[in-house]
Amino acid sequence: MSIEACIAHAINSDLDILEALPEIQDLPLEELEQYVERYVIQVQERLYSSILEKGSRFITAKDAAGLCATCLESGIALPAHMLLKMCRTIIQLSSVDAQFVAENEEGTSLYYMKIAI
C-alpha cells in the first residue's frame, strides 16, 4: 500500500477525534464538519511530510515507536498513545500489497490483497 493510503487508513481507524480535539464539543453544529475536516487534512499532511522527511527508515525497520517519536518531534500534536497506534497501523499496512477492485451497491469497497506472513 502507498504511504498515503496507509496514513488515510490509520486516521480512519485510529484517530479519536473527541480525544484529539476536546474543544469540538463546544463548537456550533454548523462549524463542526468544516473544523474536523480541516484538522484531519492537516494531520494527514503533517504525517505524510514527517514520514517522507525522516520516517522512512522506521517503516523499513518496522519501528513504530521510532516513527511515533519522529512524528511527535515534527510537531504532530496528538496524544502519544494514539499516534503510536496510528504508526503501528501505518507500518503494518505498508507491507500489504492492495489494489482497489470495485465498490458494491452498499458502498463497500472490494480490494485485491497480497500479504506476506
Side-chain angles (χ1 to χ4, degrees), residues 10-109:
I11 288 172
N12 186 47
S13 64
D14 302 326
L15 179 65
D16 181 348
I17 202 70
L18 287 175
E19 185 177 353
L21 293 173
E23 69 270 13
I24 66 170
Q25 296 178 35
D26 300 326
L27 285 177
L29 191 57
E30 55 275 356
E31 295 176 22
L32 184 62
E33 182 179 1
Q34 187 177 20
Y35 189 85
V36 170
E37 185 177 338
R38 270 191 308 236
Y39 179 76
V40 169
I41 289 170
Q42 179 186 26
V43 167
Q44 188 170 7
E45 289 171 349
R46 284 188 173 175
L47 277 171
Y48 182 71
S49 64
S50 295
I51 290 171
L52 283 184
E53 290 173 15
K54 301 176 184 175
S56 59
R57 65 185 173 151
F58 298 108
I59 290 177
T60 303
K62 299 193 183 308
D63 180 4
L67 183 60
C68 179
T70 298
C71 291
L72 287 170
E73 287 174 1
S74 297
I76 296 173
L78 287 173
H81 70 280
M82 187 184 313
L83 185 56
L84 179 59
K85 189 174 181 182
M86 292 172 72
C87 290
R88 286 182 183 140
T89 299
I90 291 166
I91 288 173
Q92 183 180 38
L93 292 175
S94 67
S95 63
V96 174
D97 181 15
Q99 296 175 337
F100 177 76
V101 176
E103 194 171 282
N104 67 12
E105 296 83 30
E106 293 86 37
T108 303
S109 299

